[in-house]
Amino acid sequence: MGANTVTRAALIGGGFMADVHAHALRANAIDIVGIASSSAARARQAADRLGIDRAYDDVAALLDDDRVDVVHVLTPNASHAPYALAALAADKHVVREKPLATNVRDAQAVVAEAKSRGRVAAVPFVYRFHPMVRHARARIMSGDVGIVYSVQGAYLQDWLLNPDDDNWRVDDAAGGASRAFADIGPHVCDLLEFVTGDRISRLVTLTRTVHPMRRDRAVHTEDLVGMLAQLRSGATVNLLVSQVAAGRKNALSLEIHGALESLRFDQERPEELWIGRRTGSMHHLRNPDELTGDAARLSRLPAGHALGYQDAFTAFVADVYASIARGSVVDGLPVFADGLRAAQLTAAVLDSARSMSWVDVPAVTDSPLEDS
């Protein structure tokens, strides 16, 4: 991967995530050349809303534009793999919303293509970029936590609580065979594996579709997933993922129990890390003067000035473009191999739910965590 100081971006997809990506790009002084969407008219609407000069008639026109160095793919799930492959074939770097693909085979093909092209190819598992997540990871890597015995985590939302709540993600043709887990489950699993430096080796799951009909649509994807798993180290994992948890908006939490102390991170309270000890437990509030390494690097505001989701996303984009500029991937950047990992976990979750049995999860190659 050669260094590249020219970094101009274009977006494919004009929904909510286009706003998030556009804000992060501008915060990093990255030029947004243009945007394509499902039609020329929708692209124009998105361009007007986001203040982007050019609306492409279609994706082919975007990929043919030599001014575009990096393509951000922000479309429904079923189109992720084809657009990523097309962008890589056009010799672009790629930022792709998860899932990498709706099945493992397509995810493997995308990973292989990115590797063969030598392009930076990243997936926004952006919760890695909260400073207190990096602080938790550092405490585990330094031995402060001791041997990890167990992990408890959850990702809870309520936006699909009622039977008349609907979205394109509910349609398995657009969203894939898994919904609740594929949409938000990979975030908590990625956070778990990133913070602990360990991998889920096997799992058993239960899934439930609470509403078999939404409006006039038959539903074939799950509303919630319960998982029991084991890490390679032997630690026990208990996870709950739900899009029908009343009152929960974006409640991603992770609690790790070690021989010496426990750690808890709550995405809705990202400025703090709970450190539990047999005596003297505490809430450690983010303070750059007390942090080191990546936790300090990502603390872009002084203590008491809250950093949130958009700040984490902006930090992710900064590391993507830093990786392109220097010609090597910044440590901790989630890449396509991490997206493949999510596809493998999703497949294992569905296999286990169908068979009602334990399923082994294979290892991922070309991911830094495999060397940990």
Side-chain angles (χ1 to χ4, degrees), residues 32-108:
I32 305 174
V33 175
I35 186 169
S37 192
S38 56
S39 68
R42 286 181 178 270
R44 183 71 264 163
Q45 291 171 355
D48 291 343
R49 185 182 84 246
L50 297 171
I52 297 172
D53 290 339
R54 180 169 183 182
Y56 296 96
D57 289 340
D58 52 34
V59 172
L62 181 154
L63 297 178
D64 285 341
D65 191 342
D66 291 337
R67 297 176 302 160
V68 177
D69 304 300
V70 189
V71 175
H72 291 239
V73 180
L74 320 173
T75 53
N77 299 353
S79 64
H80 284 185
Y83 283 151
L85 289 171
L88 290 166
D91 211 29
K92 314 294 188 185
H93 303 282
V94 183
V95 177
R96 242 270 296 294
E97 277 296 326
K98 50 81 192 150
L100 193 63
T102 55
N103 60 71
V104 172
R105 182 188 66 253
D106 289 348
Q108 290 170 330

Side-chain angles (χ1 to χ4, degrees), residues 108 173-174 192 196 212 235-236 298 336 346-347 361 365:
Q108 290 170 330
L192 182 164
T196 63
T236 299
L298 296 172
F336 274 14
T346 301
V361 184
T365 59

